[in-house]
Amino acid sequence: MIPGLLASIERIIDGLFAPAINYLSNVNSQLYQIQLEPQRYLRLDYFLGPISMLGPGWVTLIDSIIGALIMIFLVFSAKALWNLYLHFKESVQWW
């Protein structure tokens, strides 16, 4: 009797968290498919005028640094969400 009850509770919990699991799985798969060059789409000339006066070499360097920081931030944010999900899942002992 108890194993059947535990199995039904497990199905209910899995049903509640299925949207979150699907969302995090989609985020994870989208992160693996990123193949853009960050400096290609980031134009500092429009936002930071004095940087554009430094010359093309410096502008490219600063564009690359800002683009890399944005990509690192996005990857760490997605990884933190995934770890939060795993930590929550591990904290539930009867799952």
Side-chain angles (χ1 to χ4, degrees), residues 1-19 21 85 88-89 92-95:
M1 175 103 177
I2 295 295
L5 179 65
L6 290 177
S8 65
I9 291 174
E10 183 178 342
R11 282 194 305 273
I12 292 171
I13 297 297
D14 285 340
L16 289 175
F17 291 109
I21 293 169
Y85 162 71
F88 178 75
K89 186 176 175 181
V92 179
Q93 296 295 322
W94 45 268
W95 192 325

Side-chain angles (χ1 to χ4, degrees), residues 78-89:
K79 184 68 174 166
L81 284 173
W82 184 254
N83 285 338
L84 180 66
Y85 162 71
L86 291 178
H87 179 69
F88 178 75
K89 186 176 175 181

Side-chain angles (χ1 to χ4, degrees), residues 24 27-28 31-32 71-87:
L24 291 174
V27 167
N28 195 15
L31 284 175
Y32 282 120
M71 292 298 291
I72 289 171
F73 174 76
L74 290 174
V75 169
F76 278 126
S77 298
K79 184 68 174 166
L81 284 173
W82 184 254
N83 285 338
L84 180 66
Y85 162 71
L86 291 178
H87 179 69

Side-chain angles (χ1 to χ4, degrees), residues 35-44 60 63-64 67:
Q35 297 178 358
L36 299 176
E37 297 177 19
Q39 76 249 12
R40 179 197 243 172
Y41 299 102
L42 183 64
R43 302 277 182 183
L44 285 180
T60 303
D63 282 346
S64 298

Side-chain angles (χ1 to χ4, degrees), residues 52-66:
S52 65
M53 295 187 314
L54 291 175
W58 284 100
V59 170
T60 303
L61 174 68
I62 294 172
D63 282 346
S64 298
I65 289 171
I66 291 175

